Amino acid sequence: MRRNFIYYFLVALLVFSSCATKTVPVSILETALASEEPSIKKVMDSLDTYEIQIRYTQIDKKQNEVIFTDYDFQVADSTYFYPASTVKFPIAVLALEKLNTIHSLSMDTRFYVEGDSVETTFAQEITKIFAVSDNKAYNRLFEFLGQDLINQQLTKKGITPVRIAHRLSTTNANEITTKPLIIYQNDSTTIPLSGTINTSAQPLLIEGIEKGIGFYETDSLMQAPFDFGLKNYYPIKAQQGVLKRVIFPEKYAKNEQFNLSETQRLFLLKSMHTLPKSQGYNPEEYYDSYVKFFLYGDNQKPMPAHIKIYNKVGYAYGTLTDCAYIVDSKNEVEFMLTATILVNKDGIFNDDVYEYDTVGIPFLAALGREIYQLEMNRKNKRNE
């Protein structure tokens, strides 16, 4: 009886939205979520515990036209989840875009942030963001952009709602004044690129902004919900909005596209799917699926060469999120999948006790595999 209840509950909650002209008769997402696979069933049997949101996008190509068909499960802009490192994706894209507005700069320009000892290039920092989700790389590009420019540019392109407010894992996370960048004109000559003063973030007033029953502040347990009101806000709709514009820019009007050269866009795409070992990272520590949750996240085996995952993951405060475009070139299968799940059984934040490896990543990996197999079946039926 309970499984029947869950199944019909899924039917009721699954929201279908489409920019396609033809309705697809079978809901692959609904079928995947009704799976008896233990990692999926465990989560679906306790929906209130895990706060999942999922958007799956079917991709069809007809007469050189790309057609998206979106299926949502519990996706709601008004229900908060912490986006963690997924915010690094739009920052990488916007950094490339800003380079095109400053004639003297390029992806390979050397720079350092004032007060930082690391000399680097914009290309190197973007590579680190996707290869191993490097926080310091994100923070350097954040200084280059500033909060106001980030939010203004995303909003101008129709990527809403969104609010990028802070740096990651640093003591000056919420500082509204960005630091100057010191730019190398040649080996011996540098010029400063001034910082900016940005607008202070205002508390978010949406559902789920306070979570849990307690949190640690330094070494003290505070017995109150953890307030995410001043944190970054980057919901599922906005995440897929960025992904779709990068993968299929032609689907959008010029003013809604990112202003990237084709060289920049190809570099970005390569960075998104390239595995850590190909960027020189130790494969024992940074295995193929280190930042690839869907399909392969629950094991450390090498990923097959014919499957490429263009994505950005995030995990912090018990929340796991992946926003991905998955392509199997051998079997001609492609789809997009964005999902988030909260795994914090004890309801305490900042205690580093989260069920990432036992619940969250197994769920996302199994969900990816279920949808991939159903996409394979859909492709085979089309070819019959």
Side-chain angles (χ1 to χ4, degrees):
M1 283 293 294
R2 181 159 178 78
R3 286 303 293 163
N4 287 338
F5 172 78
I6 291 295
Y7 179 80
Y8 289 113
F9 185 66
L10 285 171
V11 174
L13 288 179
L14 188 64
V15 180
F16 170 75
S17 62
S18 173
C19 59
T21 57
K22 182 178 179 181
T23 302
V24 178
V26 178
S27 169
I28 283 180
L29 179 56
E30 179 185 9
T31 304
L33 292 176
S35 169
E36 292 293 326
E37 205 285 338
S39 297
I40 294 177
K41 185 176 184 298
K42 180 176 182 177
V43 170
M44 298 308 297
D45 283 348
S46 302
L47 281 173
D48 290 343
T49 302
Y50 297 110
E51 299 186 9
I52 62 171
Q53 296 188 39
I54 306 167
R55 170 168 285 188
Y56 150 67
T57 301
Q58 287 183 349
I59 299 172
D60 293 288
K61 295 177 179 177
K62 297 179 181 179
Q63 298 178 343
N64 296 321
E65 181 185 3
V66 176
I67 301 172
F68 297 142
T69 308
D70 296 328
Y71 294 89
D72 289 349
F73 182 75
Q74 298 192 153
V75 170
D77 291 342
S78 59
T79 301
Y80 184 81
F81 66 89
Y82 183 64
S85 291
T86 58
V87 299
K88 296 172 185 174
F89 183 15
I91 270 58
V93 182
L94 291 174
L96 289 172
E97 187 177 64
K98 183 176 178 179
L99 289 174
N100 293 332
T101 69
I102 305 174
H103 179 71
S104 59
L105 301 184
S106 74
M107 292 190 299
D108 298 317
T109 297
R110 283 196 303 138
F111 74 94
Y112 64 90
V113 176
E114 186 177 80
D116 191 352
S117 61
V118 175
E119 294 181 7
T120 185
T121 69
F122 295 97
Q124 287 173 341
E125 299 309 285
I126 290 169
T127 297
K128 290 183 226 177
I129 278 176
F130 291 105
V132 295
S133 198
D134 189 288
N135 286 335
K136 292 180 179 179
Y138 163 83
N139 291 339
R140 291 182 186 112
L141 297 185
F142 189 97
E143 302 294 347
F144 176 54
L145 293 166
Q147 296 95 312
D148 287 352
L149 180 63
I150 293 167
N151 294 308
Q152 289 165 8
Q153 289 300 102
L154 293 174
T155 300
K156 282 181 181 179
K157 291 170 173 56
I159 300 167
T160 59
V162 66
R163 198 275 301 278
I164 309 301
H166 60 85
R167 302 160 187 80
L168 299 174
S169 299
T170 183
T171 55
N172 69 328
N174 298 309
E175 173 58 54
I176 62 170
T177 301
T178 61
K179 295 180 180 179
L181 266 61
I182 310 303
I183 304 295
Y184 280 88
Q185 289 188 308
N186 52 50
D187 289 341
S188 59
T189 305
T190 62
I191 58 170
L193 189 65
S194 299
T196 57
I197 300 175
N198 298 272
T199 307
S200 297
Q202 298 301 308
L204 295 167
L205 301 174
I206 59 177
E207 184 179 346
I209 208 68
E210 293 186 346
K211 298 184 185 293
I213 59 173
F215 62 94
Y216 275 93
E217 190 170 86
T218 59
D219 293 327
S220 300
L221 176 61
M222 315 301 288
Q223 296 184 336
F226 188 69
D227 188 350
F228 287 86
L230 294 176
K231 298 292 186 183
N232 290 328
Y233 170 51
Y234 185 39
I236 297 290
K237 177 183 173 183
Q239 293 199 21
Q240 270 220 352
V242 173
L243 182 66
K244 286 177 177 176
R245 283 165 174 78
V246 169
I247 304 296
F248 297 106
E250 70 279 5
K251 287 289 293 181
Y252 294 88
K254 198 71 176 176
N255 65 316
E256 292 187 330
Q257 296 177 16
F258 291 106
N259 180 27
L260 304 178
S261 69
E262 189 61 13
T263 298
Q264 288 176 319
R265 181 173 166 273
L266 291 176
F267 164 74
L268 182 62
L269 292 175
K270 182 179 179 181
S271 298
M272 290 174 70
H273 76 74
T274 300
L275 303 177
K277 62 188 178 187
S278 298
Q279 300 290 358
Y281 290 93
N282 181 354
E284 295 298 319
E285 181 179 2
Y286 300 103
Y287 44 90
D288 285 5
S289 61
Y290 182 75
V291 286
K292 310 286 183 189
F293 294 158
F294 294 133
L295 277 76
Y296 305 106
D298 55 355
N299 71 77
Q300 298 184 14
K301 298 178 182 178
M303 288 171 49
H306 64 277
I307 293 183
K308 288 184 170 59
I309 301 178
Y310 302 77
N311 77 314
K312 187 68 198 79
V313 303
Y315 56 98
Y317 295 117
T319 302
L320 290 158
T321 306
D322 198 347
C323 177
Y325 168 56
I326 299 168
V327 182
D328 179 344
S329 57
K330 178 180 177 181
N331 295 295
E332 298 181 341
V333 167
E334 61 181 320
F335 60 94
M336 291 182 179
L337 184 60
T338 303
T340 188
I341 180 172
L342 174 65
V343 286
N344 188 11
K345 185 177 180 180
D346 65 9
I348 305 296
F349 289 88
N350 282 338
D351 63 353
D352 291 328
V353 180
Y354 306 118
E355 296 72 47
Y356 291 140
D357 295 326
T358 57
V359 178
I361 291 177
F363 170 77
L364 295 174
L367 176 65
R369 288 192 291 266
E370 289 285 333
I371 290 181
Y372 169 77
Q373 188 56 56
L374 291 165
E375 277 281 359
M376 287 281 289
N377 296 344
R378 187 171 82 98
K379 181 229 174 186
N380 291 336
K381 287 180 181 178
R382 288 200 307 265
N383 292 339
E384 286 178 355

